[in-house]
Amino acid sequence: MEFDFTWILLGLPIAFALGWIASRLDLRQMRLANRQAPRAYFKGLNYLLNEQQDQAIDAFIEAVQNDPDTSELHFALGNLFRRRGEYDRAVRVHEHLLSRADLSNADRQRAQHGLALDYLKAGLLDRAEEALRKLEGTSYEGQARMARMAIYERSREWPEAAAVALLLEKTGEVDFSVRMAHYQCEQAREWVQKGDPTAAIELLQATLQSHPHAARPRILLGQLQLNQGQSRAAFDTLALLFERQDNAAPLAAASLVKAALGCGMGTDAQRLLEAHYQKLPCIDVLNAITEIHQTGTATHTTADSEALDRYLGHLQKQPSLMAASRWLTGARQGQPALPEPVQKALEHATKPLARYRCAACGFEAKEHFWHCPGCQAWDSYPPKRVEEI
């Protein structure tokens, strides 16, 4: 039986036609998909610009489904989920990106950084720390270290925070010497709470050797020495703040007076306080001068009269309701007392003015904070009362 080549000749054009039709269908589908992906992308961008985040997320999800290999859409989707507080969905997006073998090194680092931010925003500090450690040696190293340092501060892991601060300082971009002094002060406070003030004093003395110009360890050391009955050592420690006209000296004025009275250095303390007050008038220093002068004056009448003159002189330099209240209270000694409603009104008016206010977030407190409990900023509290700022 002979093979008929006619069928082959007829079949070739048919096969060619079918292949051409199939290719055209594939090309049409590809063009349709390419049109749909940009359309969904631009639709999501438009929603995002109009702050319609729900619609934007739906549009980006559609775009990702049409083109699952586009990493930029995944990054945009992950950021949107994080901004909305849907941290579990943001984590899944970034974990999906990290699981892809075809992801470039730069995008892998970016996805790792996004995953760390997801954990950080969600409050999962342990997972965030682990994710941030994986960014060592990458272009996100500096940001990751800053985030780790913030984590250690929140969890009060001061040695770990100091170690990261030292790494950041070695880069030469930022000076963290004052921050590290704060960490050591926090450790000293913990030693005191544990009932070991001796270890706290030794730590603060070492801190002053490495950071001699830091005010906080000197103030804290003086207060600890005073509590331990070491009045002369406390006086020598605190006196240096006033000798060098440190801006934070008013915070130590009351402690300096106690130390001076305990070791018989009242005259020296008064000289230091008055010299500081002449250059930097402050109500706390003025109160300390009045207290130590009244202690050393033979007659109370003379001391009270001189105190009134001081408060009146302070009012001439700068208006102060706290100074006016003290002058008014002292001026009426030997006279009928102020009516009770007037006294209450003065106390009510002066209490808010005697607080300290954070310059970063405005958080107010009765005591001075070195680390703002509101915004977590360091050294954001001026050493002056609200009225004097």
Side-chain angles (χ1 to χ4, degrees):
M1 180 179 178
E2 296 183 359
F3 185 77
D4 191 356
F5 288 97
T6 306
W7 293 105
I8 297 177
L9 295 175
L10 292 174
L12 285 176
I14 295 174
F16 176 79
L18 291 175
W20 181 82
I21 293 172
S23 66
R24 296 298 295 176
L25 290 175
D26 289 342
L27 184 60
R28 183 177 298 176
Q29 290 178 354
M30 186 180 300
R31 288 176 178 174
L32 181 61
N34 288 337
R35 289 195 195 101
Q36 289 175 347
R39 187 181 298 116
Y41 175 79
F42 288 117
K43 185 191 299 182
L45 184 60
N46 182 54
Y47 284 135
L48 189 61
L49 292 175
N50 291 326
E51 297 184 357
Q52 296 174 292
Q53 295 188 7
D54 291 333
Q55 293 87 338
I57 287 176
D58 293 338
F60 280 129
I61 290 176
E62 179 186 350
V64 169
Q65 290 173 347
N66 292 328
D67 190 4
D69 295 330
T70 304
S71 59
E72 287 298 331
L73 293 179
H74 285 80
F75 284 123
L77 198 57
N79 291 336
L80 275 175
F81 284 143
R82 189 192 313 125
R83 287 180 59 183
R84 283 177 51 84
E86 300 180 39
Y87 304 119
D88 54 340
R89 301 179 73 180
V91 167
R92 287 201 297 270
V93 170
H94 290 118
E95 285 181 340
H96 171 70
L97 284 169
L98 290 171
S99 66
R100 286 173 49 177
D102 62 336
L103 200 65
S104 66
N105 189 43
D107 283 345
R108 187 169 298 278
Q109 294 176 10
R110 184 179 173 187
Q112 183 66 38
H113 181 249
L115 181 63
L117 292 180
D118 296 338
Y119 287 138
L120 194 60
K121 291 290 186 179
L124 303 174
L125 301 185
D126 292 340
R127 294 186 180 183
E129 179 188 357
E130 181 182 355
L132 290 168
R133 285 184 180 276
K134 294 180 180 180
L135 291 170
E136 288 290 322
T138 69
S139 58
Y140 295 93
E141 182 181 70
Q143 299 177 43
R145 287 177 176 176
M146 290 292 294
R148 282 174 56 202
M149 189 168 65
I151 289 174
Y152 294 138
E153 289 179 359
R154 288 176 62 181
S155 56
R156 303 187 67 81
E157 299 177 58
W158 306 116
E160 290 79 3
V164 176
L166 185 60
L167 290 174
L168 287 168
E169 193 174 51
K170 287 181 178 178
T171 62
E173 297 179 1
V174 185
D175 181 13
F176 281 100
S177 58
V178 176
R179 182 77 66 90
M180 287 189 285
H182 281 304
Y183 295 156
Q184 291 171 329
C185 289
E186 294 292 342
Q187 288 180 260
R189 292 182 59 188
E190 291 180 353
W191 280 113
V192 173
Q193 293 173 356
K194 293 177 181 178
D196 194 352
T198 303
I201 289 175
E202 292 177 355
L203 178 58
L204 291 171
Q205 288 173 339
T207 304
L208 285 176
Q209 289 180 358
S210 56
H211 309 288
H213 296 289
R216 186 187 182 186
R218 185 169 296 279
I219 294 174
L220 187 55
L221 177 60
Q223 292 171 346
L224 285 176
Q225 290 171 333
L226 186 60
N227 293 337
Q228 294 298 304
Q230 304 173 17
S231 299
R232 181 55 193 266
F235 177 81
D236 293 338
T237 299
L238 299 174
L240 187 59
L241 290 169
F242 294 88
E243 291 175 357
R244 66 188 185 195
Q245 300 292 323
D246 196 296
N247 289 331
L251 300 175
S255 298
L256 180 71
V257 171
K258 292 180 181 179
L261 295 177
C263 63
M265 300 292 291
T267 303
D268 294 332
Q270 184 173 347
R271 175 180 53 81
L272 290 171
L273 290 168
E274 289 179 347
H276 187 278
Y277 179 81
Q278 291 300 321
K279 292 188 177 181
L280 298 171
C282 174
I283 191 68
D284 288 328
V285 176
L286 180 58
N287 291 338
I289 293 172
T290 302
E291 180 182 353
I292 201 167
H293 186 74
Q294 287 177 337
T295 304
T297 304
T299 61
H300 290 290
T301 303
T302 304
D304 293 339
S305 177
E306 292 179 355
L308 291 176
D309 292 340
R310 287 193 181 90
Y311 286 116
L312 187 59
H314 186 81
L315 288 171
Q316 291 174 347
K317 293 179 181 178
Q318 58 186 39
S320 170
L321 187 57
M322 290 189 294
S325 176
R326 287 180 176 270
W327 179 88
L328 186 59
T329 302
R332 298 191 65 84
Q333 291 184 0
Q335 302 179 23
L338 285 172
E340 185 177 352
V342 177
Q343 290 182 351
K344 288 184 177 180
L346 284 173
E347 292 175 1
H348 181 74
T350 55
K351 274 184 179 180
L353 301 177
R355 296 178 179 179
Y356 297 96
R357 179 188 295 156
C358 175
C361 68
F363 186 90
E364 293 186 4
K366 293 181 180 179
E367 61 178 302
H368 180 274
F369 285 105
W370 299 93
H371 189 205
C372 178
C375 65
Q376 305 299 311
W378 291 95
D379 292 317
S380 58
Y381 275 80
K384 291 185 176 183
R385 309 286 179 168
V386 169
E387 184 184 55
E388 299 175 305
I389 298 176

